[in-house]
Amino acid sequence: MPATSVAAPRLHWMTATVRDVIDETPRVRSLVLGVPEWPGHRAGQHVDVRLTAEDGYQAQRSYSIASAPQAAQLTLTVERIAEGEVSPYLAGEARAGDRFELRGPIGGYFVWTPELGGPLFLVAGGSGIVPLMAMLRQRAAANSTVPATLLYSSRSVDDIIYRAELERLAGQGDGLQVVHTLTRERPAGWNGLARRIDRAMLESVGFAAAARPRIFVCGPTPLVEAAARSLRDIGHELHLIKTERFGPTGT
Amino acid sequence: MNMDRQREVPLDGNAAGGRLRELFALDMTAAEIICDGCGAVAEIGAVRVFGGAMGAILRCAHCDTVVLRLTHTPAGLWLDMRGTRRLFVASPAS
């Protein structure tokens, strides 16, 4: 199925129950959810989460789905934003057994399915890895050998979300390459990339434009816009570059 | 996507997907919008959005024309698409 619009039942708010909480980094947590009504999703889609205070005040935000469509339980990964209204609860206070409302899945633009093929070039900054991780998890779950490269910018090694799992996936020898770049702190002996994502990096790490890779870029707005511009300048076709931006969190 | 911010920061049409589904029967993030200001074509997911608690303002990436305003009020939902010349939704089979 192409990543075009798909007729779907009307969105409605569903109850999600927190089953498990996983600390990914000091600022990022994954919430494993039980959603009995969940209709299934495609990698790259997101949900809207709605929290209601005792006085009736409601706050609503969007969060990417981290789990593969094949996973038994829906997982969101949330970065705690200090002045946020929703993320301090989701990424800080939420405990197993807590309930909140969500609706989804939402989105048909920033979506990859194994049938779309590859090569697949994923570019992430910070928690922008989340929807791309759903794609990599789906690729692995489907035993896909579509050539895939992830270029992932983090502030430091401790800020790399899903670090162990990415290492494991890249070690399976199924055509996935994971390249990290660290923008603020490097551990002693780090011999990997150590700067913000730029055109030269996209050119040397990614696939040649002639290979017509499907490209997904997700991260803070400045990173996404700079990367999209560079990818276009390198010669990648515009319609193969899909972007998703979020507020600046600094990577 | 982690768009938990009170400040007005540009996000994009992906974030407006849920609110647009309150009005449209189909996913709108993959729909193409043709800017009435300059004729540029863009998928809604790729269009910048300036949002807040009240709704979303989508602007053309090329000429900055406001192509869509979606506003929630206690009375209901307002949609203003004066900056959009045409909206194109591909059929699922295409």
Side-chain angles (χ1 to χ4, degrees), chain A residues 21-91:
Chain A
V21 174
I22 302 160
D23 286 316
E24 303 283 1
T25 77
R27 297 186 304 136
V28 176
R29 290 174 104 184
S30 289
L31 299 173
V32 182
L33 304 174
V35 188
E37 292 179 74
W38 187 247
H41 66 276
R42 292 179 289 156
Q45 291 185 301
H46 68 273
V47 297
D48 286 346
V49 170
R50 180 167 76 178
L51 301 183
T52 307
E54 278 175 23
D55 65 1
Y57 176 78
Q58 292 187 325
Q60 184 180 321
R61 296 292 183 277
S62 301
Y63 293 100
S64 290
I65 297 167
S67 45
Q70 297 91 336
Q73 287 176 306
L74 184 72
T75 301
L76 307 181
T77 301
V78 179
E79 178 178 13
R80 193 162 48 244
I81 307 290
E83 71 268 38
E85 285 191 314
V86 175
S87 72
Y89 167 74
L90 291 179

Side-chain angles (χ1 to χ4, degrees), chain B residues 25-41:
Chain B
L26 302 170
D27 166 62
M28 282 292 118
T29 64
E32 283 179 355
I33 213 162
I34 301 166
C35 173
D36 200 34
C38 68
V41 181

